[in-house]
Amino acid sequence: MTQENSWINKGFFLLTGIISLLLFNAILNFSEFFDLSSPGSIFYMTSANCIGGVVSFIVSSAIGKNFSKVLKIYTLGWMSLAILVATFGFALAGPKGEFGKWVLTILSLVGGIATSWFQSLVISIAAEVSSSSIRNFNLGSGLIGVIITFICFVLNSVLPTRDAFGLVDLANIKTQIVIFIFISIGCFIIFFVLLTAWLPRAPHFHDMPEDAIVETKQTGFTGFWYIFPKSVDINLGILINFLTTLNIVGFWVYTSYKTFYTPNSLSLPFYFLAYNIGDTLSKGTPVKLLPSSSTFAHALNIIKILANVYFFYTVIVHTQGALVAPAFRLFLILIIGLLNGYLTNAYMVLNGARFAKPRQRGAAAYNNVFFLLTGLALGSFLSLLL
């Protein structure tokens, strides 16, 4: 069995994908809790987390050059766990209201910086290894959404967040959060154990950044201005894909849920579960079934934009009938998830195929993550405007 196909290599990239989006998915799935803790905080938190992703590229360029990859991945992993615990802990026991909202926003910003730096570092390593490693990482980033929404679904079944009259049961919500914090800590422990086992098998992972700079000079690879012109359409496609996805999942799903809520409505985790199942299934698509041309991917991306028009129209106009029935909205969100996951894999694999050398593929994937995070930030900003 080759190194890239070994179970430990697959498991490492799968688990790093899970860890990298644990905080963001937790914020989305427990949005009702954060809004109850500090009203209006959820949209600020999601926006701050996404903006932190863009800021992470500035921070990593300023202070990350003189540290090894090993040190960075351990440090960022521990930081991600600490910020997750601090965010949920503050929402549980800290001050509420306007002050609480801004503290949660700052924690989300710092969390976005740490987790996005972690994500960009690992995806660039995955691109150097193989297209299958990119797929495994992306599969993990989709799987965490399914895991968290499934956890929320089970917790809501055992500890309902609303009573028979539709009133919020805050005690049950707080118990759910405590359980989730312990589950998250367990997840990170497993990650660090697997990381320790994976490190001896990792090609170039122990290189200091200066080693990569020397190699690029020797091979004629000149950095951003070499990579960017070859990837303009791919990066733009990634930006649009995640802008529309975040606007739907981070704003319209929650807004339409509140707009059309009745005591008999499906609970909010059902909608996130539908999205995450679709996203995970499509991120598991074998590399050989992904498109060989970017034209097809761009066409799917354009079709996906129409979903934003649907949500905007139905919520603003307060449409009634089958068009806003829970089953239809659930189905549409499932399709959005399928398209998002498929396009994520397609764009990153297509982009890697444009470069011959591993270091170039790694740098190209690093740029992909920048545009991915920029799309999320713009989607969050659009949500705030709406």
Side-chain angles (χ1 to χ4, degrees), residues 10-341:
K10 291 179 179 179
F12 173 75
F13 286 111
L14 185 72
L15 193 55
T16 49
I18 289 173
I19 293 297
S20 69
L21 286 181
L22 179 59
L23 176 62
F24 183 69
N25 277 279
I27 291 172
L28 284 179
N29 280 272
F30 289 101
S31 55
E32 191 172 27
F33 162 69
F34 288 112
D35 246 8
L36 288 170
S37 173
S38 298
S41 62
I42 185 61
F43 295 127
Y44 285 91
M45 290 176 70
T46 54
S47 298
N49 191 272
C50 295
I51 292 169
V54 178
V55 174
S56 72
F57 281 78
I58 301 172
V59 174
S60 63
S61 298
I63 65 175
K65 294 180 179 179
N66 298 318
F67 301 98
S68 69
K69 293 176 182 177
V70 175
L71 178 60
K72 283 189 285 190
I73 201 166
Y74 270 110
T75 302
L76 293 169
W78 283 114
M79 280 183 62
S80 299
L81 174 58
I83 293 166
L84 185 147
V85 173
T87 301
F88 280 89
F90 182 86
L92 274 174
K96 312 301 181 186
E98 195 69 15
F99 177 75
K101 179 175 76 175
W102 287 110
V103 172
L104 289 172
T105 300
I106 292 170
L107 285 170
S108 296
L109 176 68
V110 178
I113 294 172
T115 56
S116 298
W117 190 351
F118 176 90
Q119 182 182 26
S120 58
L121 174 65
V122 176
I123 195 68
S124 64
I125 295 168
E128 291 183 21
V129 176
S130 67
S131 296
S132 295
S133 297
I134 295 176
R135 169 189 169 273
N136 290 332
F137 178 87
N138 287 334
L139 178 60
S141 70
L143 189 60
I144 183 57
V146 175
I147 292 170
I148 292 182
T149 47
F150 180 74
I151 289 172
C152 288
F153 175 74
V154 172
L155 290 175
N156 282 341
S157 300
V158 179
L159 301 164
T161 58
R162 292 179 182 268
D163 60 23
F165 302 100
L167 300 176
V168 174
D169 190 328
L170 192 57
N172 278 359
I173 292 179
K174 288 183 176 181
T175 304
Q176 286 189 19
I177 297 304
V178 172
I179 294 171
F180 176 74
I181 289 174
F182 279 103
I183 292 173
S184 299
I185 291 172
C187 238
F188 273 90
I189 290 173
I190 295 171
F191 162 72
F192 285 116
V193 170
L194 187 56
L195 172 61
T196 303
W198 179 79
L199 279 174
R201 304 164 179 259
H204 307 305
F205 194 79
H206 295 272
D207 291 355
M208 293 293 286
E210 289 77 11
D211 298 330
I213 294 171
V214 170
E215 180 181 335
T216 57
K217 287 180 178 178
Q218 292 173 345
T219 58
F221 165 43
T222 56
F224 179 82
W225 296 111
Y226 176 86
I227 296 292
F228 182 72
K230 295 177 177 289
S231 306
V232 173
D233 65 314
I234 295 291
N235 287 327
L236 183 60
I238 289 173
L239 186 150
I240 293 172
N241 180 38
F242 280 89
L243 188 159
T244 55
T245 295
L246 193 282
N247 191 225
I248 292 171
V249 179
F251 179 76
W252 288 120
V253 170
Y254 184 56
T255 304
S256 63
Y257 169 76
K258 292 197 300 182
T259 301
F260 303 110
Y261 176 80
T262 67
N264 296 322
S265 293
L266 293 172
S267 63
L268 190 59
F270 271 104
Y271 295 98
F272 289 122
L273 183 61
Y275 167 80
N276 284 310
I277 286 175
D279 184 55
T280 303
L281 286 174
S282 55
K283 282 179 176 175
T285 303
V287 173
K288 63 182 180 181
L289 296 182
L290 295 173
S292 57
S293 168
S294 59
T295 304
F296 180 68
H298 295 328
L300 288 178
N301 216 355
I302 292 170
I303 293 172
K304 183 166 165 278
I305 295 173
L306 297 177
N308 290 73
V309 178
Y310 159 83
F311 279 105
F312 180 84
Y313 176 79
T314 55
V315 171
I316 299 302
V317 179
H318 285 256
T319 306
Q320 301 296 319
L323 194 61
V324 294
F328 181 78
R329 283 186 287 137
L330 204 64
F331 173 75
L332 182 59
I333 292 165
L334 173 66
I335 298 300
I336 294 301
L338 287 168
L339 288 174
N340 183 78

Side-chain angles (χ1 to χ4, degrees), residues 366-386:
Y366 190 83
N367 288 344
N368 288 163
V369 176
F370 173 77
F371 283 91
L372 183 159
L373 295 169
T374 301
L376 291 176
L378 291 175
S380 295
F381 181 69
L382 180 60
S383 298
L384 284 176
L385 290 179
L386 293 171

Side-chain angles (χ1 to χ4, degrees), residues 338-357:
L338 287 168
L339 288 174
N340 183 78
Y342 186 79
L343 287 170
T344 301
N345 274 357
Y347 279 135
M348 288 190 173
V349 171
L350 285 168
N351 195 50
R354 296 181 179 184
F355 301 94
K357 300 181 182 299

